Amino acid sequence: MYKEYFKFYKHINSLEKQSNIIDFENEVNTKFMKPKILTSEFFNDDKEILDNLGLKSNISDWKCYDVLNVPGLIFIKNPFTSIGQKYWLKRCIADYTKKPNRLNIDAHRILGDGEDWWTLSNKNGINLKLRNQLRWATLGYHHDWDTKVYSETAKSEFPMDLSKLSKTIIKLLQFPDEFMAEAAIVNFYHPSSTLSGHTDHSEYNLSAPLLSISFGLSAIFLIGGHSLDDKPVAILLRSGDTIIMSKESRLCYHGVPKVLLPKNDQYFNYDNELEEPFKSYMQVTRININVRQVNNV
């Protein structure tokens, strides 16, 4: 059943008449979602922590929900400020794509010693071919796409700012155990991109939540159950929207069948928010950062 729904959403051209897609921008539908109360006890005297991370410092401005159809799935509606969004997408584009982080284009030996993808993509004008070749970067423990196993010999230092962001969000959600951000995959999607249905089961600690943050173009996120025979639910993700997969949802099949074309995505306007060349890149790109804990503490 998952594959049939994935194929259906992959080929839609408009969100019109798609009432079966959960949209948190609209009025809360108690059949699908339940508002989740966040704790502010940790930050009553230090809202500067949130502000420095590019997050809205007033917790009451955060809109957070439990997705009832998928136990353990939590949705946070864009908790970032506009300045925060710019900071994080720039970090993803210009910094997280540098060595020692690993990129999908490494296998093609495109980059020479000391070169980085973003600088080379914009040297002497925009190199669209090179720019569009980047699909992912791995941070911390580098995910092995063939063996699906993490190794102590394939690991680099995890970015401190992304670690602090992840821990702060998880702490606000009152998870019982401290979250250790040890591995991340930064995905770069274009309007024709998809991510097939899969489960994230490579981590040794599968009880720890998985954090997923999106920037740029909107997309349809499809999540089902522990079997491909289970009926999935579709959720519209806009720029800044954040999902936490925990408990039962941690091992559910999920994917991205559709990234919205720019003309159909007016939810985050970069025209006056970003300077070139970031602006032109984000007008045709969706960035997703997913952070996970690998080991048992």
Side-chain angles (χ1 to χ4, degrees):
M1 188 174 288
Y2 184 95
K3 292 181 178 179
E4 287 78 6
Y5 276 85
F6 189 96
K7 184 177 180 180
F8 170 77
Y9 287 114
K10 179 180 178 181
H11 292 102
I12 67 171
N13 295 315
S14 171
L15 291 179
E16 293 182 8
K17 300 180 181 180
Q18 298 299 328
S19 59
N20 50 346
I21 298 177
I22 299 176
D23 183 358
F24 289 89
E25 184 74 16
N26 298 328
E27 184 177 349
V28 174
N29 186 330
T30 55
K31 180 181 178 180
F32 297 112
M33 62 191 84
K34 178 182 178 182
K36 186 177 184 67
I37 306 301
L38 297 179
T39 177
S40 59
E41 63 181 280
F42 304 109
F43 301 101
N44 280 338
D45 300 321
D46 199 357
K47 291 187 177 181
E48 186 178 352
I49 293 175
L50 299 179
D51 188 58
N52 288 341
L53 290 170
L55 296 167
K56 297 171 183 175
S57 59
N58 191 343
I59 300 299
S60 63
D61 291 336
W62 288 39
K63 305 300 180 184
C64 184
Y65 305 92
D66 286 311
V67 181
L68 302 179
N69 299 50
V70 189
L73 185 66
I74 302 169
F75 177 94
I76 305 175
K77 184 180 181 301
N78 182 22
F80 296 90
T81 64
S82 60
I83 293 175
Q85 287 210 37
K86 286 188 290 182
Y87 172 82
W88 288 109
L89 67 87
K90 283 184 175 182
R91 285 285 280 161
C92 290
I93 296 168
D95 298 326
Y96 296 161
T97 53
K98 291 180 179 178
K99 294 301 175 187
N101 299 327
R102 297 186 179 181
L103 315 177
N104 67 292
I105 58 175
D106 289 344
H108 305 293
R109 302 186 183 279
I110 295 171
L111 304 176
D113 291 340
E115 289 185 321
D116 69 84
W117 164 79
W118 184 242
T119 300
L120 193 60
S121 294
N122 297 288
K123 188 176 182 180
N124 301 320
I126 297 176
N127 184 334
L128 286 176
K129 181 179 179 181
L130 176 58
R131 207 166 72 165
N132 293 335
Q133 281 180 299
L134 184 70
R135 296 298 180 181
W136 52 260
T138 56
L139 323 177
Y141 279 93
H142 299 292
H143 186 262
D144 189 310
W145 301 92
D146 296 320
T147 65
K148 304 294 191 290
V149 173
Y150 292 104
S151 170
E152 292 295 327
T153 62
K155 174 175 131 175
S156 57
E157 185 176 356
F158 195 91
M160 289 184 63
D161 56 354
L162 184 56
S163 175
K164 190 170 183 178
L165 174 71
S166 305
K167 288 183 177 182
T168 298
I169 292 175
I170 296 300
K171 191 174 184 179
L172 278 168
L173 292 170
Q174 302 183 69
F175 279 88
D177 300 318
E178 182 179 2
F179 180 76
M180 301 299 295
E182 296 178 303
I185 303 173
V186 183
N187 292 299
F188 299 87
Y189 294 88
H190 305 297
S192 61
S193 300
T194 62
L195 178 65
S196 299
H198 66 284
T199 61
D200 293 301
H201 56 267
S202 298
E203 294 72 38
Y204 302 114
N205 185 346
L206 294 175
S207 62
L210 187 154
L211 182 74
S212 177
I213 306 169
S214 297
F215 296 113
L217 296 179
S218 299
I220 296 173
F221 176 72
L222 195 66
I223 182 166
H226 292 180
S227 167
L228 288 173
D229 294 328
D230 295 329
K231 182 180 178 180
V233 296
I235 298 174
L236 181 61
L237 297 180
R238 297 185 172 92
S239 190
D241 288 347
T242 300
I243 278 181
I244 294 87
M245 298 172 66
S246 67
K247 299 179 182 178
E248 291 182 37
S249 72
R250 181 64 176 76
L251 290 175
C252 287
Y253 278 92
H254 61 281
V256 179
K258 188 73 174 181
V259 176
L260 295 179
L261 292 169
K263 65 179 180 180
N264 294 326
D265 186 9
Q266 305 298 324
Y267 302 114
F268 192 88
N269 185 354
Y270 288 95
D271 290 345
N272 299 315
E273 300 287 340
L274 282 173
E275 68 275 14
E276 292 291 357
F278 295 100
K279 182 176 74 172
S280 61
Y281 183 68
M282 289 308 300
Q283 286 173 338
V284 291
T285 304
R286 172 184 180 248
I287 295 175
N288 174 258
I289 317 169
N290 58 81
V291 182
R292 64 277 309 277
Q293 178 173 320
V294 175
N295 297 303
N296 295 307
V297 178

